[in-house]
Amino acid sequence: MAASRTRAVLATLGVLSVCAASRSGPVTEGETGGEAEWAEPWDGAVFRAPSALGAVGVARSPETLWPGREEAVDLPVLLWWSPGLFPHFPGDSERIECARGACVASRDRRVRRDSRTRALLFYGTDFRASEAPLPRLAHQSWALLHEESPLNNFLLSHGPGIRLFNLTATFSRHSDYPLPLQWLPGTAYLRHAAPSLQERAEWRRRGYAPLLYLQSHCDVPADRDRYVRELMRYIPVDSYGKCLQNRELPTPRLQDTATATTEDPELLAFLSRYKFHLALENAICDDYMTEKLWRPMHLGSVPVYRGSPSVSDWMPNNHSIILIDDFESPQKLAEFIDFLDKNDEEYMKYLAYKQPGGITNQFLLDSLKHREWGVNDPSLPNYLNGFECFVCDHELARLDAEKAHAASPGDIPVPEPHIAQPSHMDCPVPTPGFGSVEEIPESDSWKEMWLQDYWQGLDQGEALTAMIHNNETQQRKFWDYLHAIFLKRNQNL
């Protein structure tokens, strides 16, 4: 689903060319991360996946150079093995200009075995061990773009899976091209004014709950619905999505799940009337934060959050969200929310970041200032194009290192390959939203689905690694795995 949404966004971009951009100097009015006025995108472009694609590319080369033409003969080729993410239209290949020099980006798989093809670029949601392009060629890097959670591919949550790749762009700050703030346009977005307490009090008098839940993707690895179901025993929750639904949004258009993932002005106006939003990610990973967190902060609703264990590192100050895991039970959480709901002065402390000087987290400010990509910012590449240039620059540097070694093998060693690390995803075993694993019946759909998928991801990574390194015993394991997939597919026909 994420890949199809990505292709829909890319289709709106037109022909793009990119160059890596760097930032320096103080943040000023109008810059990403600054205090410029935030304009709501009319079509909800911020919250499409990947969110940071934006609507405008940066300066493109006046001509398109194709692999094989004389003028491109010496340029390294980057092959998008996930062609739906190829950010250049309408052709299959495009010359790109980056910080260290030029490369050719392509989606033409006929060039995979070409000696000039230096890197294969994969989208993590689409990557499957059974479909990996083997044999892996010794001169090629594998680069991974995966801004989504492990729900889409648990193979990447394990060491053998992530170490298949040389370069990564993930939500983790530890990845090679980090994307932890992919859903946050800048500080002006956070400082958007909240509705008045009087307006929200009137909303409550009309019979609405203090707490909102809006999810239509149910039974996810984070098991959020089980927690919310228990929380509902102790405090009123208005649930509008397909998960635990007990109310309907006011119009058929807003009831469309596609609308619920956008910044539709009518939807935002409706959501903003709630003082608290249940903001639970679909998976628990360090630095994995989505619109479920940033959108309520934009609206001035306090997120009641479960997701990234490192979320506090990124908050505008140390008093802006309620962390579910700080409470020993859903009942204790409900009591605290009820306390804030009845005490305006204590509640407003959670919105202090919207006031001038209220964003005090220097780590957040620096991260927004220095990231090399932007969200709907025409002065910066989107992160898809930025990652492409990051890979290009890496391959140009690797070529220079190889040439230096060839020229002086006795003095300059062979360049060591860069290998991705587990910290580039850092997603632990899924845990129940409420209670312990032992308390959940073996027949439970969450336990059967997500725990099985998590450990199957490890098997896939180990088997594919063995195939690449020609381990005969593990190769048999890989073919057994493929056979199991074949049988499972036939059973579903």
Side-chain angles (χ1 to χ4, degrees):
M1 183 174 68
S4 64
R5 284 182 292 158
T6 299
R7 287 190 285 272
V9 177
L10 284 170
T12 70
L13 294 180
V15 180
L16 299 179
S17 182
V18 298
C19 34
S22 60
R23 300 184 61 92
S24 59
V27 178
T28 59
E29 292 286 317
E31 286 192 318
T32 298
E35 301 301 328
E37 182 69 20
W38 172 256
E40 303 286 1
W42 70 271
D43 62 350
V46 173
F47 293 116
R48 295 177 184 172
S51 63
L53 290 180
V56 185
V58 293
R60 77 180 293 266
S61 169
E63 57 182 344
T64 298
L65 300 179
W66 306 83
R69 290 194 177 181
E70 182 178 351
E71 57 267 45
V73 69
D74 293 327
L75 298 182
V77 176
L78 315 179
L79 175 59
W80 280 93
W81 198 253
S82 301
L85 286 186
F86 181 72
H88 310 280
F89 296 88
D92 287 330
S93 301
E94 179 82 9
R95 177 186 173 120
I96 60 173
E97 300 289 343
C98 301
R100 290 187 68 99
C103 293
V104 171
S106 179
R107 60 180 171 187
D108 186 350
R109 290 189 175 187
R110 292 175 297 178
V111 304
R112 182 174 85 86
R113 295 177 179 272
D114 195 295
S115 61
R116 294 171 301 163
T117 301
R118 299 284 298 182
L120 270 59
L121 280 61
F122 301 87
Y123 185 46
T125 296
D126 295 339
F127 184 83
R128 294 293 179 269
S130 58
E131 300 167 358
L134 301 179
R136 178 170 177 167
L137 303 183
H139 70 284
Q140 290 176 350
S141 298
W142 281 14
L144 172 71
L145 173 70
H146 192 49
E147 90 292 3
E148 292 279 1
S149 81
L151 176 149
N152 297 281
N153 194 345
F154 274 108
L155 181 153
L156 305 172
S157 297
H158 301 280
I162 196 70
R163 282 194 289 265
L164 293 168
F165 299 93
N166 303 100
L167 303 172
T168 62
T170 77
F171 50 77
S172 171
R173 75 186 82 181
H174 302 297
S175 65
D176 299 305
Y177 193 79
L179 307 173
L181 299 176
Q182 59 186 294
W183 296 96
L184 181 59
T187 54
Y189 182 78
L190 292 174
R191 294 193 60 193
H192 180 269
S196 68
L197 288 173
Q198 291 77 13
E199 181 179 347
R200 285 172 165 170
E202 173 60 27
W203 189 245
R204 295 294 304 286
R205 284 192 288 270
R206 292 168 57 185
Y208 291 90
L211 192 55
L212 173 139
Y213 188 52
L214 179 62
Q215 289 298 333
S216 290
H217 191 175
C218 313
D219 297 324
V220 297
D223 199 27
R224 57 193 171 204
D225 297 334
R226 194 189 309 271
Y227 188 94
V228 175
R229 186 181 296 111
E230 181 68 14
L231 182 67
M232 286 174 163
R233 295 177 56 195
Y234 306 105
I235 192 169
V237 177
D238 287 347
S239 181
Y240 291 97
K242 295 178 181 178
C243 311
L244 307 178
Q245 182 175 10
N246 58 22
R247 298 194 76 140
E248 285 195 352
L249 289 162
T251 67
R253 187 173 65 84
L254 295 188
Q255 292 164 18
D256 186 339
T257 54
T259 304
T261 62
T262 70
E263 294 232 294
D264 178 89
E266 182 184 352
L267 176 67
L268 294 185
F270 180 84
L271 301 181
S272 70
R273 297 188 178 108
Y274 283 87
K275 293 173 73 173
F276 304 91
H277 283 207
L278 279 166
L280 290 83
E281 306 289 6
N282 62 34
I284 310 298
C285 309
D286 272 349
D287 299 339
Y288 179 64
M289 302 162 293
T290 69
E291 87 287 356
K292 297 174 188 65
L293 170 66
W294 301 114
R295 183 163 67 181
M297 298 187 75
H298 169 64
L299 298 176
S301 297
V302 177
V304 181
Y305 184 78
R306 170 179 277 165
S308 167
S310 60
V311 66
S312 296
D313 292 351
W314 304 97
M315 290 298 94
N317 60 30
N318 60 6
H319 202 77
S320 47
I321 63 174
I322 298 171
L323 295 174
I324 287 176
D325 290 338
D326 283 349
F327 297 84
E328 63 184 49
S329 68
Q331 182 176 3
K332 293 295 184 183
L333 172 63
E335 292 171 359
F336 183 70
I337 294 172
D338 184 62
F339 165 76
L340 290 180
D341 186 39
K342 295 174 179 175
N343 291 269
D344 289 348
E345 184 178 350
E346 290 300 316
Y347 175 81
M348 290 303 295
K349 291 179 181 179
Y350 282 85
L351 301 183
Y353 64 87
K354 291 188 174 292
Q355 303 305 314
I359 300 179
T360 58
N361 182 353
Q362 195 61 43
F363 177 69
L364 173 67
L365 294 171
D366 290 344
S367 297
L368 287 168
K369 175 182 175 181
H370 294 297
R371 65 184 181 185
E372 296 179 351
W373 44 271
V375 180
N376 293 330
D377 184 345
S379 70
L380 291 172
N382 58 64
Y383 67 68
L384 180 64
N385 294 137
F387 177 60
E388 186 181 66
C389 257
F390 173 79
V391 176
C392 173
D393 289 337
H394 177 271
E395 292 311 307
L396 290 170
R398 191 162 68 95
L399 277 169
D400 288 344
E402 290 173 357
K403 291 176 182 176
H405 167 72
S408 185
D411 298 323
I412 301 176
V414 177
E416 291 290 330
H418 180 81
I419 305 296
Q421 298 299 312
S423 62
H424 293 198
M425 285 288 288
D426 200 14
C427 301
V429 183
T431 56
F434 176 71
S436 66
V437 173
E438 292 72 24
E439 295 170 343
I440 300 175
E442 291 299 324
S443 59
D444 181 85
S445 60
W446 173 85
K447 192 171 186 177
E448 183 177 334
M449 181 182 304
W450 298 117
L451 290 184
Q452 176 181 324
D453 281 4
Y454 180 84
W455 293 114
Q456 188 182 64
L458 176 61
D459 292 340
Q460 294 171 23
E462 289 178 338
L464 183 52
T465 299
M467 287 290 289
I468 291 171
H469 295 290
N470 202 30
N471 181 302
E472 184 174 345
T473 301
Q474 292 298 323
Q475 284 182 24
R476 173 52 54 191
K477 184 177 180 181
F478 185 69
W479 293 117
D480 288 344
Y481 157 69
L482 295 183
H483 182 62
I485 289 178
F486 174 79
L487 292 177
K488 186 173 184 180
R489 287 176 177 169
N490 282 350
Q491 290 171 358
N492 293 332
L493 292 178

